[in-house]
Amino acid sequence: MSISKEKFKELLREKGLKVTNQRLLVLEVLADHRDKHLTAEDIYELVKEDYPEIGLATIYRTVQLLLEMQLVDRISLDDGCARYEIGESGAGEGKHHHHHLICRTCGKVVPFRDDLLEELERHIEKETGFHVLDHELKFFGMCMECRKRQNSTEKHVEV
Amino acid sequence: MSISKEKFKELLREKGLKVTNQRLLVLEVLADHRDKHLTAEDIYELVKEDYPEIGLATIYRTVQLLLEMQLVDRISLDDGCARYEIGESGAGEGKHHHHHLICRTCGKVVPFRDDLLEELERHIEKETGFHVLDHELKFFGMCMECRKRQNSTEKHVEV
DNA sequence: TTCATTGCAAATTATTTGCATTTGA
DNA sequence: TCAAATGCAAATAATTTGCAATGAA
């Protein structure tokens, strides 16, 4: 449901920006790896497969542009580098994406779709006057697989 | 409601770690600036007032230790550096702190206390098997003051 | 005494920037 | 043609690490 290549080209032209191979490829890599939380370095390696002469600085400049155009989201997994993923909602109207379940045991990140926060946002606006435009919600814990593994290996272990 | 200096000393001894002035001062500075979201550099400057010979590396090592002991939380305001604040709940049982309302216009960060996420967490566990231990929730938007300012200055401005 | 802790400086890592060159409109 | 975009290398900024000196137990 993310943005099409044509729509992206159009948006670039509207802004008076140029349509370059590099920009198209960065968006394509992000679109081909949705829910993968790629770092700039990840994107760099993936784009290099098709376009070996690209520079890392171009990746940074392009994701910055895509962020401003609201075509991608930046998330942090608290590992010291920013991660990027393509937005669900195309041009960024329905800006209420998904949350992330981050397993503290194996590091896996599972997306979770939910809109239960809308009510909380209305509550916040009424209570504090703060107008909420967007939110970012992360849950930390242990995924099902790790729980199973823990159960089987720690059955007789004292804590 | 955060941890007392005595309790902290006791915890250090339990772990076989040494009670040092530097460690006490870092905790004290965090306790004296609750809800202030200090960077390592901020803490460094504040501790230097009492203890000018402290090194920045010690700040980093100490906040790392405090994080492991669950006495402080690390949050990111997406400005390229980690921020630290003292935990509400002392030894970290009731790990459900507060959320942050981040104003995109003036950068102000307002804490907001709420427990409406518990229901959502139960829902997630039932749905996905992911066992939630903690969460981090940020809202981005515009604070009341900025909204007022905007109304008064942009009354006749075309967008 | 003795090993954990510290301060300092150097190293590392992610990201940004300056600039000459290239390229899309 | 020509400003925008790129690639490269150097600069920056946050954080980490190695190591000799210090200090708490």
Side-chain angles (χ1 to χ4, degrees):
Chain A
M1 213 59 55
S2 57
I3 197 165
S4 76
K5 197 167 289 192
E6 286 313 314
K7 182 87 180 161
F8 177 46
K9 289 184 185 174
E10 198 181 307
L11 281 170
L12 286 173
R13 290 194 200 100
E14 271 174 30
K15 290 193 140 217
L17 301 173
K18 288 176 180 171
V19 175
T20 65
N21 242 310
Q22 290 92 328
R23 286 175 176 167
L24 293 174
L25 283 166
V26 168
L27 189 72
E28 184 179 315
V29 158
L30 285 164
D32 287 349
H33 295 80
R34 48 178 56 260
D35 291 340
K36 275 298 183 52
H37 330 100
L38 303 177
T39 65
E41 196 73 39
D42 293 336
I43 300 170
Y44 179 53
E45 294 304 327
L46 287 164
V47 173
K48 271 210 286 195
E49 292 174 9
D50 283 338
Y51 199 102
E53 60 271 47
I54 199 167
L56 184 53
T58 300
I59 305 292
Y60 278 104
R61 283 185 283 230
T62 305
V63 292
Q64 189 55 50
L65 175 67
L66 293 169
L67 284 171
E68 281 158 20
M69 294 172 80
Q70 311 215 47
L71 300 177
V72 309
D73 297 321
R74 169 160 56 192
I75 62 165
S76 156
L77 264 39
D78 288 326
D79 62 347
C81 58
R83 287 162 185 279
Y84 305 89
E85 53 182 39
I86 198 150
E88 318 283 308
S89 48
E93 282 93 293
K95 221 168 300 147
H96 284 153
H97 5 260
H98 55 266
H99 319 316
H100 292 97
L101 312 180
I102 304 168
C103 181
R104 284 224 165 109
T105 304
C106 69
K108 184 170 52 196
V109 180
V110 185
F112 182 78
R113 190 154 286 94
D114 189 283
D115 283 313
L116 264 56
L117 252 45
E118 317 252 302
E119 189 196 342
L120 182 49
E121 292 186 359
R122 281 195 297 276
H123 179 57
I124 286 172
E125 297 215 14
K126 190 182 283 185
E127 195 101 339
T128 69
F130 188 97
H131 176 59
V132 178
L133 291 166
D134 197 6
H135 59 230
E136 181 183 327
L137 175 54
K138 290 182 276 193
F139 292 98
F140 302 93
M142 194 184 279
C143 68
M144 185 147 49
E145 288 70 29
C146 286
R147 290 169 73 184
K148 283 182 187 158
R149 201 172 307 125
Q150 187 186 43
N151 280 338
S152 55
T153 55
E154 290 190 9
K155 219 168 255 170
H156 307 289
V157 175
E158 293 285 334
V159 187
Chain B
M1 213 60 54
S2 57
I3 197 166
S4 75
K5 198 167 286 191
E6 285 314 313
K7 182 85 182 166
F8 177 46
K9 289 183 185 173
E10 198 179 305
L11 281 170
L12 286 173
R13 291 196 198 97
E14 272 173 28
K15 289 193 139 215
L17 301 173
K18 288 178 179 169
V19 175
T20 65
N21 242 309
Q22 290 92 327
R23 285 174 176 168
L24 293 174
L25 284 166
V26 168
L27 189 71
E28 185 180 314
V29 158
L30 285 164
D32 288 349
H33 295 80
R34 51 177 53 259
D35 290 342
K36 275 297 184 54
H37 332 98
L38 304 177
T39 64
E41 196 73 41
D42 292 337
I43 300 170
Y44 179 52
E45 294 303 329
L46 287 164
V47 173
K48 270 210 286 196
E49 291 175 9
D50 283 340
Y51 199 102
E53 60 271 47
I54 200 167
L56 184 53
T58 300
I59 305 291
Y60 278 104
R61 283 185 284 231
T62 305
V63 291
Q64 188 56 51
L65 175 68
L66 293 170
L67 284 171
E68 282 159 18
M69 294 171 82
Q70 311 214 46
L71 300 177
V72 309
D73 297 321
R74 169 160 54 192
I75 63 164
S76 156
L77 265 38
D78 289 326
D79 62 347
C81 60
R83 287 162 186 280
Y84 305 90
E85 53 182 39
I86 198 149
E88 319 281 309
S89 49
E93 284 92 291
K95 223 168 297 148
H96 284 155
H97 5 261
H98 54 266
H99 319 316
H100 294 96
L101 311 181
I102 304 168
C103 180
R104 285 224 164 109
T105 305
C106 69
K108 185 171 52 196
V109 180
V110 185
F112 182 79
R113 191 153 287 95
D114 190 286
D115 283 313
L116 263 57
L117 253 45
E118 317 252 300
E119 190 195 342
L120 182 49
E121 293 186 358
R122 281 195 298 277
H123 179 57
I124 286 172
E125 297 214 14
K126 189 181 282 182
E127 195 100 338
T128 69
F130 188 97
H131 176 58
V132 177
L133 291 167
D134 196 5
H135 60 229
E136 181 183 326
L137 175 53
K138 290 181 276 192
F139 292 97
F140 301 93
M142 194 185 279
C143 68
M144 186 149 44
E145 289 69 30
C146 286
R147 290 168 73 184
K148 283 181 189 160
R149 201 173 306 125
Q150 188 185 42
N151 281 338
S152 55
T153 55
E154 290 190 11
K155 218 168 254 169
H156 306 288
V157 175
E158 293 286 332
V159 188

